[in-house]
Amino acid sequence: MKHFDVIVIGGGHAGSEAAAASARVGAKTALVTLKADGIGQMSCNPAIGGLGKGHLVREIDALDGLMGLAADQAGIQFRLLNRSKGPAVQGPRAQADRKLYRGAIQHLLGKFGNLSIIEGEAVDFVTTAQDVQGVVLSDGTTITCRAVVLTAGTFLNGVMHIGSERRNGGRVGDQSSARLGARLRDMGLRTGRLKTGTPPRLDGRTIDWSRLEMQDGDASPSLFSFLSRSPTARQIACGITHTNTQTHDIVLENLSKSSMYGGHIEGVGPRYCPSIEDKVVRFGDKSSHQVFLEPEGLDDSTVYPNGISTSLPASVQKKFVRAIVGLEAVEITQPGYAIEYDFFDPRCLSHSLQLLDMDGLFFAGQINGTTGYEEAAAQGLVAGVNAALYAADRDLAVLSRSECYIGVMIDDLVTRGVTEPYRMFTSRAEFRLTLRADNADIRLTDMGSKLGCISDSRMRAFEEKRISLVALRDVLGRVSVGPKELESIAVFVGPGAPRRSIFTVLGMPGVTVEQVSKLCPELAAASVPVQNVVAADALYAPFAERQFAEAKLLKRDEAIRIPPDLKYTEIVGLSAELRSKLMNVRPANIAQAASIEGMTPAATVLILGYIKRRFDTKARSA
Ligand code: FAD
């Protein structure tokens, strides 16, 4: 019988990252997936990153994950979103060539000597009352292991809908995973149904591009990986068109035929990613919505019309799409559809993404109620690292909200649960001025190294960057300039103004790196990533102190552990509702308890008092 330290089920975005992370930490790892050539497949839009999501990709990269490197290799158009806003909320995004992306992920996975890819369907787990010990495949093979990471995506009891048609499947062209879904339900896990949708795919050769506005990528692309220097694939432009009243009328006339509006779907969909049906109904006052026409690849004529996901019947899709400028003669190569699938209440997980009631079993990705490749990949990385640590009997890693967006997401999921598909936004991070995309490596690479998931070559590159950053910060803080010098770079502060450090000047609103570089050769000579970090640090310096103080308080609360078997029923004054929430979540520390929805400062004090009394009593009796 084969044995591995860690088995990862599913080769999507969570699974690829989990398998690679587990292998980096040194575990003998197997990736079991339905189709080996589907590893790294993008089920929906051919793009990586965006607002909030771009931060996750940079953090994955800072922990030596795959997504940033693959997106840089596959990127055919790079744009920094929110460019006109502050660096804390800017989001790198790349449109990717699907085939190149999949190829890049498979190539990166192929480099690990301790990672085996097994094509097959996982249908069952081998378990004892306490822990998981293996996985059973549909052909009857049993593979034993110390830990399992489950990342089955939308495949668990997946049902696809187009109009009134419904078909079982994980996504177009793929079967659903019914037996594993049933087994997990039998384990007594709380489950729910969510849904998501995708637009029809268009044949780009039948689009009249001459009638469309075209949008190029950024002149100097913002890449994802701290190791990448420039895009490798040819860069392309995207088309922009708009829906109109005729399109909306066709959608409205046929609303009852839509799977989502015809009552065929029970799952909840993402509010912030509405279908065209949703848009027409919810934003009835708008006569037009923007549609980006994004080529899916350099040698692929398929075009992804971003903004019109739908579950209307195929004939209606053709009619409303052809009512859009530039698409009058378009051919649909694959109709849009909605998919409904099982997810598990993520409150059944600890912050390590391990099931509270089954040691060694970790969940990551869409099955935890999230949506998006980046959210899935980030969870996969954490679950993969932790599965490998668990298999080696080492302490598991927990990322804090004060350190990274990944920590924010996991904390949100396991303490609050989800009521709709969860996606990342910058507004979810309370420490967003310090958790920026530009400084993800400064925040996380050292920690990754301690966990054992950073390669030597990345660590060397990071050390070099850190040394130049520290040296530059030193110069910027030491060298000061007066009004005359500032005037020479068109910064006017008044003749009697005091001298100030170059760092302070760099943080003045509207002052650019280019201007300040004229006064500081060291800044001019620094690499762009280093310039970006010091410029953002300088801009947010006035707020940083408060954020550091708040982050310190959070860390202090995170350090106050709550025993897993704490008897909340014994805490006098706690409401029955809060007691039940706390018993469900089983927070590991005071910070996690405080973040549970409905927790009040008074309730936190009651828990603190109880822990202190119990601890004191024990201490006295010892
Ligand atoms: P997936 O990428 O789904 O990967 C799951 C993997 O598990 C697959 O490789 C599969 O082969 C494997 N697998 C499943 N069951 C088994 C089994 N029993 N044994 C072995 N292997 C198994 N996200 C957005 O952000 N925006 C969108 O607009 C959007 N639209 C979407 C539309 C559709 C139709 C679909 C299907 C998804 C959409 N998503 C969207 C979601 C996005 O694709 C997912 O969030 C992301 O792919 C989740 O990654 P994952 O790794 O969790 O799962």
Side-chain angles (χ1 to χ4, degrees):
M1 194 178 291
K2 279 193 186 146
H3 178 85
F4 291 90
D5 297 325
V6 173
I7 298 176
V8 176
I9 301 174
H13 305 277
S16 305
E17 215 62 73
S22 164
R24 286 201 301 282
V25 176
K28 187 179 168 209
T29 306
L31 173 58
V32 176
T33 192
L34 293 171
K35 289 182 188 167
D37 69 356
I39 292 176
Q41 183 169 326
M42 299 169 133
S43 312
C44 188
N45 58 328
I48 297 289
L51 301 178
K53 289 166 173 275
H55 284 69
L56 287 175
V57 185
R58 286 275 173 87
E59 291 179 357
I60 291 167
D61 188 68
L63 291 167
D64 215 6
L66 315 178
M67 185 169 252
L69 287 166
D72 288 343
Q73 285 169 32
I76 52 178
Q77 188 190 81
F78 291 84
R79 288 176 61 80
L80 184 63
L81 306 186
N82 263 355
R83 193 176 269 280
S84 61
K85 300 204 175 138
V89 294
Q90 291 173 350
R93 179 188 193 268
Q95 203 192 311
D97 177 307
R98 271 184 200 287
K99 219 189 305 165
L100 289 179
Y101 186 83
R102 219 174 44 213
I105 290 284
Q106 291 179 15
H107 175 73
L108 289 167
L109 285 175
K111 288 185 175 175
F112 294 101
N114 56 346
L115 171 61
S116 310
I117 310 279
I118 299 173
E119 200 170 55
E121 180 188 359
V123 293
D124 204 352
F125 301 106
V126 181
T127 56
T128 66
Q130 293 83 39
D131 63 4
V132 69
Q133 302 197 337
V135 169
V136 182
L137 306 187
S138 60
D139 65 4
T141 314
T142 296
I143 313 172
T144 57
C145 62
R146 288 287 323 274
V148 173
V149 183
L150 178 67
T151 71
T154 48
F155 288 63
L156 295 177
N157 298 317
V159 179
M160 292 178 290
H161 299 259
I162 306 179
S164 58
E165 278 173 45
R166 46 182 286 149
R167 225 173 332 137
N168 290 345
R171 64 186 165 212
V172 156
D174 281 310
Q175 71 201 68
S176 77
S177 222
R179 287 174 68 186
L180 197 62
R183 168 68 161 108
L184 287 157
R185 280 178 182 243
D186 285 350
M187 282 168 72
L189 297 168
R190 288 188 300 272
T191 63
R193 294 289 273 171
L194 290 174
K195 69 170 188 211
T196 186
T198 197
R201 302 303 195 271
L202 311 179
D203 181 344
R205 293 166 300 190
T206 59
I207 294 175
D208 185 354
W209 295 96
S210 67
R211 302 193 59 196
L212 304 178
E213 179 192 334
M214 297 304 286
Q215 185 181 61
D216 286 318
D218 291 339
S220 55
S222 301
L223 303 185
F224 288 107
S225 176
F226 292 99
L227 300 181
S228 300
R229 292 292 161 257
S230 59
T232 48
R234 179 164 60 81
Q235 301 297 290
I236 52 111
C238 292
I240 300 178
T241 184
H242 297 86
T243 61
N244 51 46
T245 49
Q246 197 193 343
T247 333
H248 296 185
D249 287 346
I250 298 169
V251 171
L252 280 173
E253 278 159 25
N254 291 283
L255 217 48
S256 62
K257 297 180 192 155
S258 155
S259 325
M260 288 185 241
Y261 279 83
H264 306 285
I265 296 186
E266 58 177 90
V268 183
R271 252 181 314 144
Y272 36 78
C273 195
S275 63
I276 186 66
E277 293 96 303
D278 276 327
K279 286 182 184 174
V280 170
V281 173
R282 278 170 38 200
F283 312 108
D285 53 328
K286 284 191 84 174
S287 57
S288 165
H289 296 280
Q290 201 169 40
V291 182
F292 288 93
L293 296 175
E294 303 176 335
E296 293 207 349
L298 294 174
D299 62 356
D300 183 348
S301 57
T302 312
V303 168
Y304 178 91
N306 196 339
I308 51 169
S309 82
T310 181
S311 59
L312 281 161
S315 58
V316 180
Q317 295 187 27
K318 186 169 174 180
K319 218 167 139 191
F320 88 68
V321 167
R322 285 191 170 187
I324 296 174
V325 171
L327 307 183
E328 294 83 353
V330 83
E331 291 298 340
I332 290 180
T333 53
Q334 146 81 58
Y337 63 95
I339 182 158
E340 248 191 314
Y341 54 92
D342 281 358
F343 79 101
F344 299 97
D345 183 346
R347 288 172 296 182
C348 63
L349 303 169
S350 71
H351 280 71
S352 64
L353 296 180
Q354 182 176 219
L355 271 185
L356 290 168
D357 292 324
M358 179 64 65
D359 290 351
L361 182 51
F362 296 79
F363 281 10
Q366 191 109 357
I367 58 165
N368 289 342
T370 59
T371 180
Y373 311 137
E374 304 77 2
E375 289 81 353
Q379 291 170 66
L381 190 148
V382 172
V385 165
N386 276 327
L389 294 175
Y390 174 89
D393 294 320
R394 289 173 57 193
D395 286 343
L396 304 190
V398 170
L399 305 187
S400 164
R401 302 183 70 88
S402 62
E403 284 161 340
C404 54
Y405 275 69
I406 304 179
V408 170
M409 172 176 64
I410 293 177
D411 186 53
D412 284 349
L413 290 173
V414 306
T415 57
R416 292 173 202 180
V418 294
T419 49
E420 62 180 322
Y422 178 101
R423 69 155 285 190
M424 186 41 83
F425 298 111
T426 50
S427 56
R428 295 195 192 270
E430 56 274 54
F431 301 111
R432 63 183 160 277
L433 299 187
T434 41
L435 306 188
R436 303 185 311 265
D438 63 76
N439 67 5
D441 54 345
I442 319 282
R443 293 184 276 119
L444 295 174
T445 302
D446 254 340
M447 178 207 294
S449 167
K450 288 186 190 110
L451 295 171
C453 70
I454 308 287
S455 67
D456 292 345
S457 56
R458 182 177 291 265
M459 209 52 207
R460 272 196 303 277
F462 173 65
E463 286 299 354
E464 267 174 40
K465 179 175 172 184
R466 181 158 51 191
I467 288 167
S468 56
L469 193 61
V470 169
L472 182 60
R473 274 298 304 266
D474 180 54
V475 173
L476 296 181
R478 256 188 309 108
V479 178
S480 66
V481 286
K484 271 233 147 65
E485 288 145 303
L486 288 176
E487 204 179 311
S488 74
I489 58 162
V491 175
F492 303 101
V493 291
R499 291 181 73 77
R500 59 196 80 200
S501 72
I502 300 262
F503 186 68
T504 308
V505 176
L506 196 54
M508 288 166 72
V511 174
T512 64
V513 168
E514 290 70 36
Q515 277 171 296
V516 183
S517 290
K518 290 182 189 144
L519 298 178
C520 178
E522 290 86 350
L523 179 61
S527 67
V528 174
V530 168
Q531 288 177 343
N532 287 344
V533 175
V534 290
D537 281 348
L539 182 67
Y540 295 124
F543 313 98
E545 210 168 298
R546 210 180 73 207
Q547 286 224 336
F548 278 130
E550 285 168 0
K552 221 165 130 189
L553 282 181
L554 182 69
K555 284 256 171 201
R556 185 202 62 189
D557 287 351
E558 283 172 344
I560 307 176
R561 319 293 300 169
I562 301 179
D565 55 350
L566 190 85
K567 293 198 170 46
Y568 290 98
T569 43
E570 288 181 0
I571 305 182
V572 182
L574 269 189
S575 71
E577 190 196 347
L578 271 183
R579 254 188 214 139
S580 128
K581 279 188 180 171
L582 286 157
M583 286 190 299
N584 272 335
V585 174
R586 282 184 249 166
N589 57 54
I590 283 292
Q592 288 167 18
S595 69
I596 291 173
E597 212 174 2
M599 270 299 277
T600 58
T604 312
V605 169
L606 287 176
I607 301 173
L608 268 172
Y610 178 80
I611 294 173
K612 194 162 183 301
R613 275 196 308 280
R614 271 196 54 181
F615 175 79
D616 281 353
T617 316
K618 274 194 185 157
R620 270 200 300 275
S621 60

